Amino acid sequence: YHDDITLQYYACLAVQVLTSQDDKRKVAVAGGIRFAMRAMQRFAKDRRLQGAAIGVLRCLGMNCIENKNDIAEAGGVRLIVDAMRRWPDISLLQEHSVAALCNLASKCAPNKRQICDF
């Protein structure tokens, strides 16, 4: 099912819901970060999926320093910035991306530096 873009899109939405209702760290440890980033890599040209996966990273990075570090160390900042550059006119994707980057940077100096390097 990893090649089914529709399934991956809806799975990203489901992970966002889980993340808002459950412990963010548990979702990350269970593979939430890896899942979202693989979906972004696999479907780099699909803006709808990119937005949904960025939403996952946005949720997982909110108020959880361990997740922030894991996302940044795994290359999440680059994936988010790449999506922003690919679709500069898609306001919802830009909004989710900025929020995700803000969450990753909040109270995390190394991530702030990494984001500023882009």
Side-chain angles (χ1 to χ4, degrees), residues 4-50:
D4 184 333
I5 196 165
T6 301
L7 182 62
Q8 294 292 308
Y9 170 75
Y10 285 111
C12 283
L13 297 181
V15 173
Q16 286 183 45
V17 171
L18 286 173
T19 302
S20 67
Q21 296 175 354
D22 203 354
D23 179 26
K24 292 173 184 8
R25 190 64 190 152
K26 286 181 184 177
V27 174
V29 169
I33 294 169
R34 185 174 52 254
F35 160 73
M37 291 181 60
R38 283 185 182 163
M40 290 181 75
Q41 292 165 340
R42 187 172 291 124
F43 302 106
K45 295 182 179 180
D46 187 278
R47 71 177 190 216
R48 187 176 75 141
L49 186 114
Q50 292 289 306

Side-chain angles (χ1 to χ4, degrees), residues 13 23 31 40 52 71 74 76 81 92 104:
L13 297 181
D23 179 26
M40 290 181 75
I71 292 166
V81 171
L92 188 59
L104 294 176

Side-chain angles (χ1 to χ4, degrees), residues 53-118:
I54 289 167
V56 171
L57 299 179
R58 173 185 182 178
C59 293
L60 288 173
M62 186 184 305
N63 301 321
C64 184
I65 193 71
E66 296 92 348
N67 289 355
K68 293 174 194 234
N69 291 333
D70 289 350
I71 292 166
E73 289 171 7
V77 172
R78 173 172 294 285
L79 289 173
I80 294 167
V81 171
D82 286 349
M84 293 177 78
R85 288 179 177 156
R86 190 172 291 120
W87 294 289
D89 298 331
I90 307 301
S91 59
L92 188 59
L93 186 136
Q94 295 293 319
E95 178 184 333
H96 285 300
S97 297
V98 168
L101 293 174
C102 286
N103 286 347
L104 294 176
S106 176
K107 300 178 183 176
C108 191
N111 289 356
K112 286 179 188 177
R113 283 189 293 277
Q114 184 180 354
I115 291 165
C116 288
D117 286 343
F118 283 96

